[in-house]
Amino acid sequence: MSNNEAKFLLNAYRANGADAAEPTFAPALAQAKADPALGAWFAREQAHTSAVAAKLREFAPPVGLRDAILAGGRATASVPRRTARLNLGQWIALAASVAVLFGAAYSLRPRSRELTSAALTAFAMDDVRHGRHGAHGDAEKALQVRLGQSERLSSGLPISYDEMEKSGCRSLTIAGHEVIEICFARNGAEFHCYLARARDFTNADEPDGEARFSTDGPLAAANWVSRGVRYVLVSDAGVNAVKRLL
Amino acid sequence: MSDDVFTQLVDAHYASLYRFALSLARNGADASDLVQQTFFVWATKGSALRDGSKVKSWLFTTLYREFLRGRRRDSRATSIESLPPGEQDIAAEDVDRVARMDAPAVMAALQSVDETFRAPLTLFYLEELSYLEIAEALEIPIGTVMSRLSRGKSQLRAALTTAERGVGDKVVNFTVKGGAA
């Protein structure tokens, strides 16, 4: 690799070090360490990049932009797409309408009876096996951001059950019992998490504790309780992949 | 969608999206429109996205598409292959120059870079996306990203030099943290 080739690659190396583990840059980085002239160029390049980046970070979005986005985004969660842009008043009106709909849906939801954790696990695995899972609400996609960043799930999802219930995620009724489901990807594998209120289960008094694992063909599941919510996590990536999330 | 979830999504990305939009649109009002439109598209079409790790690049892609849709491509954008290779050398003076300049002057210099190079260059400086993610966001090959970064940096250095000499012709209004420029 010539120095010009190394420079070509290193021009795409971020100054914050986020690309340190990227194999594409390894040979060029090694060459920069071995060649003082190339190393000096790289140091100047990184300093220049950092200086420009720092200047750009000084720009703050205008006051009010965030609130306008939030008002509009909430309102459009369940309305047909429009090609025309909406003004702030229209955003707010839509937001109010959706809030009313969420409230009505909540008040009319069916009452649940008791359910066993084994039944929920069996249902979840069957649900995943037949591809009926996920992609039923915008909230699921946004939640994936948080789930992708969460280190462990043994203490539950980084969002309360009440919030999940109102989020527009896929909601199911099993024997008159509400179950919420969300899909997400981590480490290249897909996971499906089913949540229900622990108090509605026959073993409602089960304390928070170790997860129980089970497998069925290519699917693995973990079943545990945390802070009043029973979780069933299913994946086709194997039981070790499931364990790594807990 | 849960308020908390959407709020977190907005909080995580709207500032970076705004800076990207500002570099493209060259004025704050259009940049704000682009960011709002991006989240509007998310609210209506985001359900099609299955891979949560792609949310960030999806947002940048959408903003860029909205920008392209909102204006006609200028002739410079189609002449990239005829441009000379980027100048690789950078002097210590270039680094000092940026440090001396104020943020609006640096942004104005960035905005003077050809649009073809400006989009990947801004994403690179924002440090939000890797070169692979920039390729995905702008829907161009990886090699093209690297080429445009190299050439874009060369143009930016030239623009910064020109700006410091006081012969720049860009007049842009900005809001900068701590006051208006």
Side-chain angles (χ1 to χ4, degrees), chain A residues 25-38:
Chain A
F25 297 113
L29 288 171
Q31 191 156 322
K33 282 185 178 177
D35 185 322
L38 180 61

PDB file of all heavy atoms in Angstrom, chain A residues 25-38:
ATOM      1  N   PHE A  25      -9.367  -0.081   8.029  1.00  0.00           N
ATOM      2  CA  PHE A  25      -8.352   0.931   8.300  1.00  0.00           C
ATOM      3  C   PHE A  25      -7.049   0.351   8.878  1.00  0.00           C
ATOM      4  O   PHE A  25      -6.064   1.069   8.988  1.00  0.00           O
ATOM      5  CB  PHE A  25      -8.901   1.971   9.271  1.00  0.00           C
ATOM      6  CG  PHE A  25     -10.080   2.733   8.731  1.00  0.00           C
ATOM      7  CD1 PHE A  25     -11.334   2.592   9.297  1.00  0.00           C
ATOM      8  CD2 PHE A  25      -9.938   3.598   7.659  1.00  0.00           C
ATOM      9  CE1 PHE A  25     -12.432   3.292   8.809  1.00  0.00           C
ATOM     10  CE2 PHE A  25     -11.027   4.298   7.152  1.00  0.00           C
ATOM     11  CZ  PHE A  25     -12.269   4.146   7.728  1.00  0.00           C
ATOM     12  N   ALA A  26      -7.083  -0.911   9.282  1.00  0.00           N
ATOM     13  CA  ALA A  26      -5.946  -1.470  10.012  1.00  0.00           C
ATOM     14  C   ALA A  26      -4.620  -1.336   9.261  1.00  0.00           C
ATOM     15  O   ALA A  26      -3.622  -0.871   9.846  1.00  0.00           O
ATOM     16  CB  ALA A  26      -6.236  -2.922  10.372  1.00  0.00           C
ATOM     17  N   PRO A  27      -4.544  -1.730   7.992  1.00  0.00           N
ATOM     18  CA  PRO A  27      -3.249  -1.610   7.290  1.00  0.00           C
ATOM     19  C   PRO A  27      -2.777  -0.154   7.179  1.00  0.00           C
ATOM     20  O   PRO A  27      -1.586   0.127   7.350  1.00  0.00           O
ATOM     21  CB  PRO A  27      -3.546  -2.190   5.905  1.00  0.00           C
ATOM     22  CG  PRO A  27      -4.778  -3.004   6.070  1.00  0.00           C
ATOM     23  CD  PRO A  27      -5.578  -2.329   7.134  1.00  0.00           C
ATOM     24  N   ALA A  28      -3.703   0.743   6.898  1.00  0.00           N
ATOM     25  CA  ALA A  28      -3.321   2.150   6.761  1.00  0.00           C
ATOM     26  C   ALA A  28      -2.873   2.728   8.102  1.00  0.00           C
ATOM     27  O   ALA A  28      -1.927   3.524   8.162  1.00  0.00           O
ATOM     28  CB  ALA A  28      -4.496   2.948   6.205  1.00  0.00           C
ATOM     29  N   LEU A  29      -3.554   2.334   9.173  1.00  0.00           N
ATOM     30  CA  LEU A  29      -3.153   2.811  10.502  1.00  0.00           C
ATOM     31  C   LEU A  29      -1.769   2.286  10.866  1.00  0.00           C
ATOM     32  O   LEU A  29      -0.940   3.021  11.423  1.00  0.00           O
ATOM     33  CB  LEU A  29      -4.178   2.360  11.548  1.00  0.00           C
ATOM     34  CG  LEU A  29      -5.529   3.064  11.523  1.00  0.00           C
ATOM     35  CD1 LEU A  29      -6.513   2.363  12.475  1.00  0.00           C
ATOM     36  CD2 LEU A  29      -5.391   4.534  11.904  1.00  0.00           C
ATOM     37  N   ALA A  30      -1.523   1.020  10.533  1.00  0.00           N
ATOM     38  CA  ALA A  30      -0.209   0.449  10.816  1.00  0.00           C
ATOM     39  C   ALA A  30       0.873   1.165  10.029  1.00  0.00           C
ATOM     40  O   ALA A  30       1.972   1.424  10.547  1.00  0.00           O
ATOM     41  CB  ALA A  30      -0.222  -1.044  10.473  1.00  0.00           C
ATOM     42  N   GLN A  31       0.559   1.503   8.802  1.00  0.00           N
ATOM     43  CA  GLN A  31       1.534   2.207   7.974  1.00  0.00           C
ATOM     44  C   GLN A  31       1.804   3.611   8.518  1.00  0.00           C
ATOM     45  O   GLN A  31       2.926   4.095   8.481  1.00  0.00           O
ATOM     46  CB  GLN A  31       1.020   2.289   6.536  1.00  0.00           C
ATOM     47  CG  GLN A  31       2.065   2.754   5.541  1.00  0.00           C
ATOM     48  CD  GLN A  31       1.735   2.269   4.131  1.00  0.00           C
ATOM     49  OE1 GLN A  31       1.261   1.148   3.958  1.00  0.00           O
ATOM     50  NE2 GLN A  31       1.987   3.111   3.156  1.00  0.00           N
ATOM     51  N   ALA A  32       0.761   4.244   9.020  1.00  0.00           N
ATOM     52  CA  ALA A  32       0.937   5.584   9.592  1.00  0.00           C
ATOM     53  C   ALA A  32       1.815   5.549  10.837  1.00  0.00           C
ATOM     54  O   ALA A  32       2.544   6.503  11.126  1.00  0.00           O
ATOM     55  CB  ALA A  32      -0.427   6.184   9.921  1.00  0.00           C
ATOM     56  N   LYS A  33       1.749   4.435  11.556  1.00  0.00           N
ATOM     57  CA  LYS A  33       2.606   4.302  12.742  1.00  0.00           C
ATOM     58  C   LYS A  33       4.062   4.076  12.344  1.00  0.00           C
ATOM     59  O   LYS A  33       4.983   4.542  13.015  1.00  0.00           O
ATOM     60  CB  LYS A  33       2.124   3.128  13.600  1.00  0.00           C
ATOM     61  CG  LYS A  33       0.903   3.443  14.445  1.00  0.00           C
ATOM     62  CD  LYS A  33       0.564   2.275  15.361  1.00  0.00           C
ATOM     63  CE  LYS A  33      -0.640   2.623  16.233  1.00  0.00           C
ATOM     64  NZ  LYS A  33      -1.034   1.465  17.093  1.00  0.00           N
ATOM     65  N   ALA A  34       4.238   3.355  11.238  1.00  0.00           N
ATOM     66  CA  ALA A  34       5.595   2.998  10.827  1.00  0.00           C
ATOM     67  C   ALA A  34       6.286   4.101  10.027  1.00  0.00           C
ATOM     68  O   ALA A  34       7.513   4.189  10.021  1.00  0.00           O
ATOM     69  CB  ALA A  34       5.552   1.716  10.001  1.00  0.00           C
ATOM     70  N   ASP A  35       5.514   4.926   9.363  1.00  0.00           N
ATOM     71  CA  ASP A  35       6.090   5.961   8.495  1.00  0.00           C
ATOM     72  C   ASP A  35       5.877   7.334   9.140  1.00  0.00           C
ATOM     73  O   ASP A  35       4.747   7.822   9.215  1.00  0.00           O
ATOM     74  CB  ASP A  35       5.401   5.898   7.127  1.00  0.00           C
ATOM     75  CG  ASP A  35       6.023   6.870   6.132  1.00  0.00           C
ATOM     76  OD1 ASP A  35       6.388   7.998   6.558  1.00  0.00           O
ATOM     77  OD2 ASP A  35       6.134   6.526   4.954  1.00  0.00           O
ATOM     78  N   PRO A  36       6.948   7.975   9.587  1.00  0.00           N
ATOM     79  CA  PRO A  36       6.811   9.264  10.288  1.00  0.00           C
ATOM     80  C   PRO A  36       6.112  10.336   9.458  1.00  0.00           C
ATOM     81  O   PRO A  36       5.310  11.116   9.997  1.00  0.00           O
ATOM     82  CB  PRO A  36       8.257   9.666  10.588  1.00  0.00           C
ATOM     83  CG  PRO A  36       9.012   8.379  10.588  1.00  0.00           C
ATOM     84  CD  PRO A  36       8.350   7.505   9.560  1.00  0.00           C
ATOM     85  N   ALA A  37       6.411  10.367   8.165  1.00  0.00           N
ATOM     86  CA  ALA A  37       5.793  11.398   7.318  1.00  0.00           C
ATOM     87  C   ALA A  37       4.291  11.166   7.212  1.00  0.00           C
ATOM     88  O   ALA A  37       3.487  12.109   7.333  1.00  0.00           O
ATOM     89  CB  ALA A  37       6.430  11.378   5.933  1.00  0.00           C
ATOM     90  N   LEU A  38       3.926   9.926   6.991  1.00  0.00           N
ATOM     91  CA  LEU A  38       2.494   9.603   6.913  1.00  0.00           C
ATOM     92  C   LEU A  38       1.836   9.821   8.278  1.00  0.00           C
ATOM     93  O   LEU A  38       0.711  10.325   8.362  1.00  0.00           O
ATOM     94  CB  LEU A  38       2.303   8.148   6.459  1.00  0.00           C
ATOM     95  CG  LEU A  38       0.854   7.671   6.333  1.00  0.00           C
ATOM     96  CD1 LEU A  38       0.093   8.493   5.288  1.00  0.00           C
ATOM     97  CD2 LEU A  38       0.814   6.179   5.968  1.00  0.00           C
TER      98      LEU A  38
END
